[in-house]
Amino acid sequence: MVLAFDDNRLATQLFGHYGRNLALIERKLGVKADSRGNHVTLEGERDACEQARAVLEHLYEALRKGRDISQGDVDGAIREVTSQGSLFDFDPAEQRQSFDEIHLRRRPVRARTAAQDAYIRALKRHTLVFGNGPAGTGKTWIAVAYAVHLLERRMVDKIILSRPAVEAGERLGFLPGDMKEKVDPYLRPIYDALYDLMDRPFVERALQSGEIEIAPLAFMRGRTLSNAAVILDEAQNATSMQMKMFLTRLGENSHMIVTGDPSQTDLPGGQISGLAEAVRLLEGVEGVGICHFKAEDVVRHELVQRIVSAYEKLDAAKIEAASARLAGKAGS
């Protein structure tokens, strides 16, 4: 199968630096892709070649619309087309986007996996949404994108960003500065997302004016959060009481997003994670959306997905060993 793209410059971007995008497609779909100028030749099984064609045509259409593509976009396109089954009649210009997206002034944020797609749909449908799963699945980034979307369209008056100030197994000691300077190190991932999704001057002005507010979880007590998009990140480090306190701050015309990874709690031994408890208690409650991410939903470096999978196997083995010990004691 030979594909031809009419714009040499876009074709070069499509294939990637030193053909790395084509290499990713080869590795993921099991095809051989050779490029020459603005042409690419695909060899392999028919279904795999059709999927590779669909990926390339979809990404080329994105480039024609002025979007930049990264290897993450390539990986997302591969996941999308493989989830759709047979794509022999694929038309990238006319096909309905099966994965949802969030429209921002700077650029659209589009789901790269089925789990991200379900997450975005839940954000649009529910007042309170939990994003629950391992690192690298895009939980925080998409949460910030949706909050920015609400602020840009004046559907809310402000964005409130919060996180438990729990040290990840380290003793940092006294941190100098005002409240914002003390909590900033804990909120660095959220700042990174803001600067990625909005122009830096706008972020700085919004922080100065209070349209974007940074608040440690402990400072939420007693407040009613109205007309706001509220994000609690790293929620696995909130205690049961803190989580209850936070969730009951929800006011009129507000949206609340809670993200975290239950496997990475830094709470002292014996303390129950408020995130795990809240997800269990609120499953099925009207107005609450709960999205679970797994290792296969990791959209960072491929190696991160393998690392998460390895740790999940270790945790499963520990649980199995503990169950076997309990069964042995019960039988003795």
Side-chain angles (χ1 to χ4, degrees):
M1 179 186 296
V2 180
L3 303 179
F5 300 96
D6 53 10
D7 188 316
N8 283 0
R9 182 181 58 85
L10 294 183
T12 301
Q13 294 178 42
L14 175 65
F15 301 154
H17 193 52
Y18 294 117
R20 64 180 183 180
N21 293 343
L22 292 179
L24 181 59
I25 291 170
E26 286 182 324
R27 189 166 67 254
K28 293 279 188 176
L29 296 178
V31 298
K32 184 178 179 182
D34 288 323
S35 63
R36 185 180 295 273
N38 63 336
H39 292 72
V40 61
T41 302
L42 301 173
E43 296 178 9
E45 293 185 3
R46 185 185 180 206
D47 281 356
C49 286
E50 287 293 338
Q51 288 177 334
R53 176 176 70 87
V55 169
L56 289 166
E57 291 183 351
H58 171 79
L59 293 170
Y60 186 72
E61 190 67 21
L63 288 167
R64 285 183 59 185
K65 292 177 180 176
R67 300 179 190 171
D68 293 325
I69 62 169
S70 64
Q71 281 204 287
D73 295 311
V74 179
D75 189 53
I78 293 169
R79 292 174 194 241
E80 182 173 355
V81 298
T82 52
S83 72
Q84 292 172 354
S86 178
L87 293 165
F88 298 132
D89 299 321
F90 180 85
D91 184 343
E94 297 180 5
Q95 185 210 29
R96 185 186 72 83
Q97 301 284 348
S98 63
F99 280 1
D100 212 335
E101 65 182 21
I102 299 168
H103 298 281
L104 304 179
R105 288 175 186 165
R106 191 170 187 179
R107 61 188 174 90
V109 171
R110 188 161 181 264
R112 292 179 179 176
T113 67
Q116 286 189 354
D117 180 58
Y119 188 36
I120 292 176
R121 292 176 190 275
L123 290 170
K124 293 179 177 180
R125 189 179 304 123
H126 299 291
T127 301
L128 169 61
V129 175
F130 289 86
N132 195 30
T137 50
K139 305 181 303 294
T140 300
W141 195 67
I142 290 175
V144 174
Y146 189 66
V148 171
H149 163 80
L150 294 175
L151 182 64
E152 287 182 345
R153 280 155 181 74
R154 309 316 300 178
M155 296 167 72
V156 297
D157 294 334
K158 66 191 308 184
I159 296 172
I160 300 174
L161 308 170
S162 188
R163 190 175 183 180
V166 177
E167 296 162 351
E170 301 173 75
R171 292 291 176 264
L172 301 179
F174 174 76
L175 292 174
D178 59 21
M179 184 181 74
K180 179 178 178 299
E181 291 169 329
K182 289 177 189 294
V183 79
D184 272 0
Y186 297 100
L187 290 163
R188 194 69 254 167
I190 296 181
Y191 277 114
D192 291 343
L194 282 172
Y195 288 124
D196 189 35
L197 297 165
M198 304 169 73
D199 292 328
R200 182 174 288 270
F202 186 88
V203 176
E204 300 296 343
R205 285 197 303 272
L207 287 167
Q208 289 292 326
S209 67
E211 283 186 296
I212 298 176
E213 178 186 344
I214 310 296
L217 179 57
F219 283 67
M220 290 292 184
R221 189 173 299 278
R223 298 184 63 180
T224 299
L225 308 176
S226 301
N227 299 306
V230 191
I231 298 174
L232 176 61
D233 191 35
E234 297 291 340
Q236 75 275 2
N237 289 328
T239 65
S240 178
M241 288 300 295
Q242 284 178 321
M243 182 61 72
K244 179 182 177 183
M245 177 273 292
F246 176 79
L247 295 177
T248 53
R249 301 306 93 202
L250 187 64
E252 290 287 329
N253 190 41
S254 282
H255 298 259
M256 190 172 276
I257 311 168
V258 180
T259 68
D261 177 4
S263 71
Q264 293 197 41
T265 179
D266 298 308
L267 290 171
Q271 278 199 301
I272 297 173
S273 168
L275 174 62
E277 183 181 66
V279 167
R280 186 175 66 254
L281 288 173
L282 300 178
E283 190 92 50
V285 172
E286 185 179 353
V288 178
I290 298 176
C291 299
H292 298 281
F293 294 84
K294 299 178 181 178
E296 55 264 31
D297 299 312
V298 172
V299 292
R300 279 184 194 159
H301 196 284
E302 282 183 276
L303 185 56
V304 175
Q305 188 178 98
R306 298 189 205 117
I307 290 168
V308 171
S309 295
Y311 275 96
E312 283 185 352
K313 288 177 184 176
L314 176 63
D315 291 340
K318 286 180 180 177
I319 292 170
E320 187 177 338
S323 299
R325 283 197 300 271
L326 288 173
K329 288 179 181 178
S332 60

